[in-house]
Amino acid sequence: MRDKKTCDIIDKIVNKRIIIMSMASEAEMKPYCIPQLAKPYTDYDMIQKHTDLPPFSDGRGHLLYIFLNHASSAKGSAGELYTLVTALVQLGLDTHEVIDRSNDRRGGDPMRSRQLKVLAGDYFSSWFYHLLAKSDQIEMIGILSKAIADFNVLKANLYVKMRGIRLSAEQYLRHMVQLNMRLFLSFTPMIENSLVELWEKLLAEFSQCETVAIELLRSDDPANAGNGYCYWKMMETATEEERKQLQDLNLDQKEWKMLKMKYKCDSQLTDKLHQSLQSIQGLLQSVKDESLLRELEMALDRFLLQMKVTGQAAVEG
């Protein structure tokens, strides 16, 4: 369960933008519907009942959708299809990522939960082949397949550093942001040349926001937080006894919370979240295309609302 104080901080960060979102008309909010389109492929009673899934890549997905729809090579349904399959692949990769550190709030059989995560991750990822092949998008299958292979290489390199305990908290976070960007960066050649720089900068900041939000969620429980940002931050300056406890994960909830407070882990993460949101707002100020600016502002508003809802659900859970 996320710390109430952390949720309050995030709440203050997002409230200004949510006011703007509440003023948007229903018609303006309809165009982006990827999460709804994904539901037939992701919402299954067995999975929802027995295991938790990682968050949907809503911020990055919405950003991709917007920039593809401004590209001459991926108008309309193609942009929608590319965003949908990328989101499904990302969900599959993220689902596999949480298997080893899973501590489902739903309770029940941990082995069944892990097995369902393996199957669910494979299932989500498999849809990109089917949906792209059905639409004769064979070239895109190759592009996404290469991106997945690159993702796995990056992840393997990160795990090597983690096993050798050769990682700072900042290095860990940079690696995770790069991982979370990889699939989406594969579409850069399809982005209009004049927008590539803006696309890459916004993608980096949205990825940073989503990565930090996930780290805040996982940091609530020592069983889930092993080898996360807070873990590596503590390892940098912890005492010898604390380091041993961290390496053995020999900490109860109270001890873990006290260490987080001692090393100000959550406050550092929320500071990073705030900085990225400010960077996004700064980047939006440079956008001259009013139509593009309106869409990007809506994407940010939707993303902030999703973070607010997720934070509240974590507190109530």
Side-chain angles (χ1 to χ4, degrees):
M1 183 172 68
R2 180 182 289 183
D3 186 273
K4 180 65 166 62
K5 183 178 179 182
T6 302
C7 285
D8 289 341
I9 295 172
I10 294 176
D11 190 65
K12 289 177 183 177
I13 292 172
V14 304
N15 268 342
K16 278 188 180 180
R17 298 294 304 176
I18 291 171
I19 291 172
I20 297 172
M21 182 178 180
S22 67
M23 298 168 61
S25 70
E26 183 180 353
E28 286 179 314
M29 296 308 296
K30 279 183 177 178
Y32 180 70
C33 56
I34 300 303
Q36 289 72 34
L37 292 176
K39 284 185 179 297
Y41 310 105
T42 62
D43 286 7
Y44 284 94
D45 291 343
M46 179 67 72
I47 294 173
Q48 294 177 352
K49 183 177 180 181
H50 296 292
T51 192
D52 287 329
L53 292 177
F56 199 71
S57 54
D58 210 14
R60 286 163 288 164
H62 200 166
L63 199 65
L64 176 62
Y65 178 81
I66 290 169
F67 277 92
L68 285 179
N69 282 339
H70 276 75
S72 58
S73 60
K75 290 288 186 182
S77 60
E80 187 174 272
L81 174 63
Y82 294 166
T83 306
L84 173 61
V85 297
T86 304
L88 290 172
V89 174
Q90 186 67 59
L91 182 60
L93 294 171
D94 292 343
T95 301
H96 282 163
E97 178 69 17
V98 300
I99 291 171
D100 292 337
R101 54 181 171 81
S102 175
N103 184 27
D104 290 299
R105 294 188 301 271
R106 300 183 189 278
D109 182 356
M111 180 59 72
R112 177 167 56 181
S113 175
R114 286 193 290 272
Q115 289 173 338
L116 280 172
K117 279 185 169 66
V118 172
L119 294 172
D122 290 344
Y123 179 73
F124 299 150
S125 297
S126 70
W127 274 109
F128 96 88
Y129 289 103
H130 177 79
L131 293 172
L132 289 174
K134 185 178 178 181
S135 300
D136 294 324
Q137 297 282 349
I138 307 304
E139 182 180 357
M140 184 52 60
I141 293 176
I143 291 172
L144 267 179
S145 296
K146 183 181 184 305
I148 294 169
D150 291 344
F151 175 96
N152 288 326
V153 170
L154 289 172
K155 186 171 72 170
N157 291 337
L158 174 59
Y159 283 176
V160 168
K161 293 182 179 179
M162 291 167 72
R163 283 198 299 269
I165 316 183
R166 302 194 309 272
L167 205 62
S168 70
E170 295 306 315
Q171 288 172 333
Y172 164 82
L173 194 62
R174 284 198 298 272
H175 278 289
M176 292 305 298
V177 171
Q178 289 173 359
L179 281 169
N180 288 332
M181 291 175 62
R182 184 61 197 91
L183 295 186
F184 298 86
L185 280 174
S186 62
F187 292 93
T188 299
M190 299 182 187
I191 305 299
E192 186 178 313
N193 286 339
S194 62
L195 298 177
V196 166
E197 183 178 359
L198 177 65
W199 151 252
E200 291 180 340
K201 288 181 178 179
L202 282 173
L203 179 61
E205 296 298 346
F206 269 83
S207 299
Q208 171 98 347
C209 284
E210 290 190 307
T211 303
V212 168
I214 291 170
E215 290 297 323
L216 281 166
L217 279 173
R218 68 180 290 194
S219 73
D220 289 330
D221 187 342
N224 281 338
N227 288 325
Y229 177 88
C230 289
Y231 173 90
W232 292 108
K233 194 65 185 177
M234 294 174 192
M235 288 291 284
E236 289 176 12
T237 53
T239 66
E240 185 175 343
E241 182 181 352
E242 289 170 344
R243 286 171 63 91
K244 188 176 188 310
Q245 287 179 309
L246 287 166
Q247 287 179 298
D248 297 339
L249 287 179
N250 185 26
L251 294 162
D252 59 27
Q253 187 73 36
K254 183 178 179 181
E255 291 170 328
W256 173 256
K257 188 174 182 179
M258 288 178 65
L259 276 180
K260 280 205 304 176
M261 291 177 63
K262 177 180 178 180
Y263 295 105
K264 301 178 180 179
C265 297
D266 283 351
S267 64
Q268 291 181 54
L269 283 170
T270 50
D271 284 346
K272 291 180 181 298
L273 184 60
H274 199 176
Q275 290 164 10
S276 283
L277 291 173
Q278 288 181 322
S279 295
I280 291 171
Q281 290 170 333
L283 287 166
L284 294 188
Q285 290 177 4
S286 68
V287 178
K288 305 303 181 185
D289 184 323
E290 290 187 7
S291 174
L292 176 60
L293 176 60
R294 186 165 55 250
E295 289 185 76
L296 291 172
E297 287 180 332
M298 288 167 57
L300 177 58
D301 293 337
R302 179 190 176 98
F303 175 59
L304 293 173
L305 180 58
Q306 183 61 37
M307 285 204 307
K308 179 182 174 72
V309 170
T310 302
Q312 288 175 340
V315 169
E316 293 167 0

PDB file of all heavy atoms in Angstrom, residues 75-86:
ATOM      1  N   LYS A  75      -1.045   7.353 -40.668  1.00  0.00           N
ATOM      2  CA  LYS A  75      -2.273   8.076 -40.361  1.00  0.00           C
ATOM      3  C   LYS A  75      -3.374   7.117 -39.909  1.00  0.00           C
ATOM      4  O   LYS A  75      -3.414   5.954 -40.288  1.00  0.00           O
ATOM      5  CB  LYS A  75      -2.771   8.839 -41.595  1.00  0.00           C
ATOM      6  CG  LYS A  75      -1.899  10.033 -41.983  1.00  0.00           C
ATOM      7  CD  LYS A  75      -2.061  11.176 -40.995  1.00  0.00           C
ATOM      8  CE  LYS A  75      -1.310  12.415 -41.466  1.00  0.00           C
ATOM      9  NZ  LYS A  75      -1.411  13.515 -40.515  1.00  0.00           N
ATOM     10  N   GLY A  76      -4.276   7.656 -39.112  1.00  0.00           N
ATOM     11  CA  GLY A  76      -5.516   6.962 -38.778  1.00  0.00           C
ATOM     12  C   GLY A  76      -5.338   5.625 -38.125  1.00  0.00           C
ATOM     13  O   GLY A  76      -4.689   5.490 -37.097  1.00  0.00           O
ATOM     14  N   SER A  77      -5.912   4.594 -38.757  1.00  0.00           N
ATOM     15  CA  SER A  77      -5.982   3.272 -38.146  1.00  0.00           C
ATOM     16  C   SER A  77      -4.611   2.651 -37.955  1.00  0.00           C
ATOM     17  O   SER A  77      -4.412   1.848 -37.046  1.00  0.00           O
ATOM     18  CB  SER A  77      -6.858   2.344 -38.999  1.00  0.00           C
ATOM     19  OG  SER A  77      -6.318   2.215 -40.299  1.00  0.00           O
ATOM     20  N   ALA A  78      -3.628   2.995 -38.815  1.00  0.00           N
ATOM     21  CA  ALA A  78      -2.288   2.428 -38.658  1.00  0.00           C
ATOM     22  C   ALA A  78      -1.668   2.900 -37.350  1.00  0.00           C
ATOM     23  O   ALA A  78      -1.081   2.115 -36.602  1.00  0.00           O
ATOM     24  CB  ALA A  78      -1.401   2.816 -39.843  1.00  0.00           C
ATOM     25  N   GLY A  79      -1.802   4.189 -37.052  1.00  0.00           N
ATOM     26  CA  GLY A  79      -1.286   4.716 -35.797  1.00  0.00           C
ATOM     27  C   GLY A  79      -1.955   4.064 -34.601  1.00  0.00           C
ATOM     28  O   GLY A  79      -1.311   3.763 -33.598  1.00  0.00           O
ATOM     29  N   GLU A  80      -3.235   3.841 -34.708  1.00  0.00           N
ATOM     30  CA  GLU A  80      -3.988   3.190 -33.630  1.00  0.00           C
ATOM     31  C   GLU A  80      -3.528   1.751 -33.443  1.00  0.00           C
ATOM     32  O   GLU A  80      -3.316   1.286 -32.321  1.00  0.00           O
ATOM     33  CB  GLU A  80      -5.485   3.225 -33.963  1.00  0.00           C
ATOM     34  CG  GLU A  80      -6.392   2.735 -32.858  1.00  0.00           C
ATOM     35  CD  GLU A  80      -7.850   2.930 -33.200  1.00  0.00           C
ATOM     36  OE1 GLU A  80      -8.391   4.011 -32.908  1.00  0.00           O
ATOM     37  OE2 GLU A  80      -8.448   2.000 -33.779  1.00  0.00           O
ATOM     38  N   LEU A  81      -3.347   1.031 -34.550  1.00  0.00           N
ATOM     39  CA  LEU A  81      -2.901  -0.360 -34.492  1.00  0.00           C
ATOM     40  C   LEU A  81      -1.497  -0.455 -33.906  1.00  0.00           C
ATOM     41  O   LEU A  81      -1.240  -1.292 -33.024  1.00  0.00           O
ATOM     42  CB  LEU A  81      -2.911  -0.970 -35.898  1.00  0.00           C
ATOM     43  CG  LEU A  81      -2.324  -2.383 -36.030  1.00  0.00           C
ATOM     44  CD1 LEU A  81      -3.135  -3.388 -35.211  1.00  0.00           C
ATOM     45  CD2 LEU A  81      -2.268  -2.802 -37.490  1.00  0.00           C
ATOM     46  N   TYR A  82      -0.586   0.394 -34.360  1.00  0.00           N
ATOM     47  CA  TYR A  82       0.788   0.349 -33.857  1.00  0.00           C
ATOM     48  C   TYR A  82       0.839   0.633 -32.357  1.00  0.00           C
ATOM     49  O   TYR A  82       1.598   0.003 -31.614  1.00  0.00           O
ATOM     50  CB  TYR A  82       1.663   1.369 -34.601  1.00  0.00           C
ATOM     51  CG  TYR A  82       1.873   1.085 -36.066  1.00  0.00           C
ATOM     52  CD1 TYR A  82       2.400   2.059 -36.914  1.00  0.00           C
ATOM     53  CD2 TYR A  82       1.539  -0.149 -36.619  1.00  0.00           C
ATOM     54  CE1 TYR A  82       2.607   1.812 -38.266  1.00  0.00           C
ATOM     55  CE2 TYR A  82       1.730  -0.399 -37.972  1.00  0.00           C
ATOM     56  CZ  TYR A  82       2.258   0.577 -38.789  1.00  0.00           C
ATOM     57  OH  TYR A  82       2.443   0.326 -40.129  1.00  0.00           O
ATOM     58  N   THR A  83       0.040   1.584 -31.917  1.00  0.00           N
ATOM     59  CA  THR A  83       0.017   1.910 -30.493  1.00  0.00           C
ATOM     60  C   THR A  83      -0.556   0.764 -29.681  1.00  0.00           C
ATOM     61  O   THR A  83      -0.046   0.425 -28.602  1.00  0.00           O
ATOM     62  CB  THR A  83      -0.802   3.188 -30.246  1.00  0.00           C
ATOM     63  OG1 THR A  83      -0.302   4.243 -31.068  1.00  0.00           O
ATOM     64  CG2 THR A  83      -0.720   3.614 -28.790  1.00  0.00           C
ATOM     65  N   LEU A  84      -1.617   0.147 -30.178  1.00  0.00           N
ATOM     66  CA  LEU A  84      -2.246  -0.972 -29.468  1.00  0.00           C
ATOM     67  C   LEU A  84      -1.287  -2.137 -29.312  1.00  0.00           C
ATOM     68  O   LEU A  84      -1.104  -2.665 -28.202  1.00  0.00           O
ATOM     69  CB  LEU A  84      -3.498  -1.431 -30.224  1.00  0.00           C
ATOM     70  CG  LEU A  84      -4.175  -2.697 -29.693  1.00  0.00           C
ATOM     71  CD1 LEU A  84      -4.651  -2.518 -28.253  1.00  0.00           C
ATOM     72  CD2 LEU A  84      -5.342  -3.102 -30.606  1.00  0.00           C
ATOM     73  N   VAL A  85      -0.634  -2.549 -30.401  1.00  0.00           N
ATOM     74  CA  VAL A  85       0.238  -3.727 -30.307  1.00  0.00           C
ATOM     75  C   VAL A  85       1.469  -3.429 -29.456  1.00  0.00           C
ATOM     76  O   VAL A  85       1.951  -4.302 -28.727  1.00  0.00           O
ATOM     77  CB  VAL A  85       0.649  -4.247 -31.706  1.00  0.00           C
ATOM     78  CG1 VAL A  85      -0.570  -4.713 -32.490  1.00  0.00           C
ATOM     79  CG2 VAL A  85       1.429  -3.210 -32.498  1.00  0.00           C
ATOM     80  N   THR A  86       1.970  -2.188 -29.521  1.00  0.00           N
ATOM     81  CA  THR A  86       3.122  -1.823 -28.697  1.00  0.00           C
ATOM     82  C   THR A  86       2.761  -1.866 -27.222  1.00  0.00           C
ATOM     83  O   THR A  86       3.525  -2.356 -26.385  1.00  0.00           O
ATOM     84  CB  THR A  86       3.637  -0.423 -29.071  1.00  0.00           C
ATOM     85  OG1 THR A  86       3.942  -0.397 -30.469  1.00  0.00           O
ATOM     86  CG2 THR A  86       4.888  -0.069 -28.277  1.00  0.00           C
TER      87      THR A  86
END
